[in-house]
Amino acid sequence: FLAKPILLDDRSPLPSSVTIQSYLMDCITTATLSSSSGFKEVLLQEVSRVFGVSLEQTLDKLSPSEYYKVRLAHACLKSSVQPFWDGSNDSHCNRQLHLPGPILLLDEWMDVETSQVVGNVVSSCWDTIVQEWGGIIICVTHKPHLFLNGKTEGTGSAKRKVTLSAGKILSMV
């Protein structure tokens, strides 16, 4: 199975007074993984570990960095956890479920943030999304320096950098 590409191009507010766990669980539940609550819990714990967020925290109390991490976590789940398995097969069978790596397109998504916020988000979770989960992150920005300063430099987050101007490729590194 392939992941579904997810576009992140807005910074709309998240629902208030809802926990991170409820917000992310809603995404998993819509993928009809209804009979596998153990899988859901393991998946949520992995997301909590990778993105460094407490699942009990409410969405209206997030810092700017946490906001972006939760939005990225939600996008990863929407991309990877799809209705390809409903648990209706033989439950006695010892099966392993492999999720495809998420595919994310960030369209000027963090351009309005400070280098510290971008650095916190990129350095904390991008390597895991790409290296451990096999994900693809495409970041379109007018401010590439935000992704190259401080903590993000040298982390391996950017495997390839393409610079465009007026639709023409100026450089590819």
Side-chain angles (χ1 to χ4, degrees):
F1 296 97
L2 295 176
K4 173 182 164 188
I6 301 296
L7 172 66
L8 290 171
D9 64 347
D10 71 347
R11 287 164 290 284
S12 57
L14 296 171
S16 61
S17 301
V18 174
T19 65
I20 293 173
Q21 180 168 346
S22 296
Y23 179 65
L24 297 178
M25 185 63 87
D26 183 52
C27 183
I28 297 170
T29 304
T30 23
T32 67
L33 293 166
S34 56
S35 67
S36 182
S37 63
F39 171 76
K40 292 175 189 177
E41 292 304 319
V42 168
L43 189 57
L44 283 174
Q45 291 305 317
E46 174 68 0
V47 166
S48 175
R49 177 191 71 81
V50 169
F51 292 93
V53 293
S54 168
L55 296 174
E56 292 78 33
Q57 187 173 358
T58 58
L59 298 175
D60 54 352
K61 304 281 190 238
L62 297 176
S63 71
S65 296
E66 291 169 330
Y67 166 85
Y68 284 103
K69 289 177 186 181
V70 168
R71 290 290 307 271
L72 280 173
H74 190 264
C76 285
L77 290 172
K78 281 178 64 176
S79 178
S80 295
V81 181
Q82 299 173 40
F84 60 82
W85 179 61
D86 63 5
S88 61
N89 293 340
D90 184 5
S91 60
H92 302 291
C93 183
N94 185 12
R95 297 184 310 152
Q96 203 173 18
L97 181 63
H98 294 280
L99 297 176
I103 302 171
L104 308 175
L105 172 59
L106 312 180
D107 186 7
E108 299 178 22
W109 193 51
M110 290 190 276
D111 279 9
V112 298
E113 291 301 332
T114 65
S115 58
Q116 181 179 1
V117 169
V118 175
N120 287 339
V121 173
V122 172
S123 67
S124 68
C125 54
W126 281 26
D127 283 342
T128 301
I129 293 171
V130 174
Q131 294 171 3
E132 289 182 31
W133 293 355
I136 297 169
I137 300 173
I138 301 167
C139 183
V140 178
T141 182
H142 291 282
K143 300 179 179 183
H145 63 281
L146 289 176
F147 297 90
L148 301 173
N149 290 336
K151 295 181 182 179
T152 62
E153 191 169 343
T155 65
S157 295
K159 300 294 181 197
R160 181 178 297 160
K161 180 180 165 189
V162 179
T163 305
L164 302 170
S165 179
K168 295 183 182 192
I169 297 176
L170 298 180
S171 69
M172 197 176 332
V173 181

